Amino acid sequence: MDLIITGLTRQFGTNAALDGIDLSVASGELVALLGPSGSGKTTLLRLIAGLDFPTTGHLFIGGEDAVDKTVQERNIGFVFQHYALFKHLTVADNIAYGLRVRPRALRPDEKAIKDKVEELLALIQLPGHGGRYPSQLSGGQRQRVALARALAVEPRLLLLDEPFGALDAKVRKELRVWLREFHDRTGHTTLFVTHDQEEALDLADRVVVMSKGRIEQVGTPESIYDAPQTPFVFEFIGESARLPVEISGGKPYLGGQEVVAATLYGQARDGLGHLYVRPENVAYRPDGDGLWATVVSQHRSGSSRRIGFRADHTDTIIEAVTSADRDAPRVGSRAALEIRSAGLFAV
Amino acid sequence: MSDASFALEAPEKPAAPSATGQLTLGGRKPRLPTEESPAVRRTLIGVAVGFLLLFLLAPLITVFSEALRHGLGAFLEAFADPDGWAAIRLTLLVAAIAVPCNLVFGVAAAWAIAKFEFRGKAFLITLIDLPFSVSPVVAGLIYVLLYADHGLFGPLLKEAHIRVIFAIPGVVMATIFVTFPFIARELIPLMEELGNTDEEAALTLGASPWRIFWTVTLPNTKWALLYGVLLCNARAMGEFGAVSVVSGHIRGLTTTMPLHIEILYNEYQFTAAFAVASLLASLALVTLGIKSYLEHKYAGELAAGHRH
């Protein structure tokens, strides 16, 4: 089911937790809401679910206006960060809960419920675990049970709040791969909230980057990483050096000399600005044209080597990352930097 | 395997060198920095146990031994007194009314405090604690001031031919006042810790609020609720001060067991007084027994309830 959000605002007192959100999610898409804590991403998820209500704005689920509908009427699958499994019920009873609470006329018979539970247990790869209690499961297993419970009611949208937040790194990775495959197989329109950029970039079809209640950028993981549209996205996603420059005619200048970048993007009017450069977009040579700089540090980190340069006419350190096989330049030596891609934003 | 066996042996390692004479520490067994010396330990345990024996266990034994001093016959004779039976019946009646009332009030108050934010919440929490901090005698006097013939609501009640003070309604009300915090106080911390997430999960699954209360909130809080009810019941049956003020000590009508015991005692009927007292103490012991049994039997589940 598709989702369209227009002008959604949520005020808490004088404080806007969400400020004019516009977003469309196509049917079957897997979308990540990514942002630091306090960016409003969880508030947005709760508004979509109906666990909270907007101050203004509209929300259409499958073409129907959902703002005035209760949680129950919206038929949403919601998976909570700490799973929120019912501790006193077995795994099977947890999964069946949403079916058993239906009004008699809509409730499947007990046999159908049992079959559905078995089917879902197989889907989450926990067959035979129906009789256990949540406390007898590992974190990753509980998360999958919570997912099965949400899916049992055949929701129109699946919403996941920090689905891997409470798991350790290894289980996180495994479950991430599993969820991607699971989504590809079942095709639910899914939104998940995360503060982990790796998770968002790895898993989602599209990423919504949020900050201070606003959407900064929406796009594919590639476009978010390769072409951040705002300084916030540049600083929040991946690593980058921020070089103070002067902008003239849309081009960056440092000490009166143009800093040449093969690809340059951003919205820059003339005046003072910042040039954002990612380490993997910096190459260096001992001679030739480019931005001249002095090597100030170098260290090996696993399979790669990181080299710090101080460009002439600035104190900012620009990092380059190369393969560890390549010989490290001597600290203090000079090099010409070639910038393949950079973002330029006015201050 | 080797790691596990090493870990098992590790705590005993410090003892080994002293056995081989390499490091003797003056012949003493080395102890952990957080462990007290045996002398301190024995003194502390001795003081605690001695105190309990002297102040708690000895009186309890005395109650039963005094009750049975003149044999089982004299003990049973105390219960042949119709006033005694009336007191027992009244005590059970008062508990049977006060406990369910406080169950409803307590759940409602705990729910309001744990699940909502509202003005005056801190005031409400303080108010719930009031019966704990106010002397029961004062509580009783307040009821007299409000509901007696010359009290604030006295004329109104008289017109309606309702007697509160020196009658059963007053005894019940005073008991409710005194036992109000027990259930609410048990529930509030637990409900606050649990938060709303389980209820929200049930909402997203389509359950109605009423259904959520019965299938999620109540099962999540049932042990705290049961403890609260047990404690509330024990206090309801044993309350003396507040009830004493409002009851008027009308024999066979408004005397509860604790009041009846006092009357018997004041009339030098020691055996009878201790017989009724032993019954009251037994009710308390049964309550304590049930509580311990539940704690023991459901220890696993209670612990699991605190994990996520």
Side-chain angles (χ1 to χ4, degrees), chain B residues 43-158:
Chain B
T43 312
L44 282 174
I45 293 170
V47 167
V49 171
F51 197 84
L52 283 175
L53 285 177
L54 195 64
F55 286 91
L56 294 176
L57 197 61
L60 195 63
I61 292 167
T62 312
V63 167
F64 286 96
S65 67
E66 281 296 320
L68 292 165
R69 176 191 282 248
H70 299 291
L72 202 61
F75 176 81
L76 291 173
E77 215 168 88
F79 297 106
D81 176 12
D83 289 349
W85 272 113
I88 294 168
R89 271 202 308 274
L90 180 61
T91 296
L92 294 178
L93 175 73
V94 167
I97 299 171
V99 173
C101 282
N102 278 337
L103 185 63
V104 175
F105 295 157
V107 170
W111 184 282
I113 286 166
K115 310 267 172 182
F116 305 115
E117 287 304 321
F118 54 91
R119 269 167 170 280
K121 183 164 154 175
F123 179 68
L124 184 61
I125 295 172
T126 313
L127 209 61
I128 289 172
D129 278 342
L130 189 70
F132 274 162
S133 50
V134 166
S135 160
V137 178
V138 176
L141 279 174
I142 295 167
Y143 275 85
V144 171
L145 281 175
L146 285 176
Y147 298 106
D149 285 355
H150 303 290
L152 196 62
F153 303 128
L156 255 164
L157 288 167
K158 203 167 187 180

Side-chain angles (χ1 to χ4, degrees), chain A residues 46 72 76 80 86 88 97 142, chain B residues 200-201 203-204 207 215 219 308:
Chain A
R46 292 173 62 84
Q72 293 98 324
I76 296 281
F80 293 82
F86 306 130
H88 60 286
Y97 187 89
R142 283 182 221 178
Chain B
E200 284 182 344
L203 271 177
T204 61
T215 58
H308 278 293

Side-chain angles (χ1 to χ4, degrees), chain A residues 46 49 51 71-72 75-76 78 80 82 84-89 94 97-98 100-101 107 135 142 149-150 153, chain B residues 194 197-209 211-212 215-216 219-220 222 301 304-308:
Chain A
R46 292 173 62 84
L51 291 170
V71 194
Q72 293 98 324
N75 193 18
I76 296 281
F78 201 107
F80 293 82
H82 295 288
L85 292 177
F86 306 130
K87 291 182 273 292
H88 60 286
L89 297 180
N94 261 287
Y97 187 89
R100 294 217 171 104
V101 298
R107 197 186 310 155
S135 59
R142 283 182 221 178
R149 183 178 67 176
V153 296
Chain B
L194 288 171
T197 321
D198 281 13
E199 280 79 6
E200 284 182 344
L203 271 177
T204 61
L205 293 167
S208 66
R211 179 105 193 188
I212 292 170
T215 58
V216 177
N220 270 345
K222 63 184 171 197
E301 199 176 322
H306 288 291
R307 284 198 302 265
H308 278 293

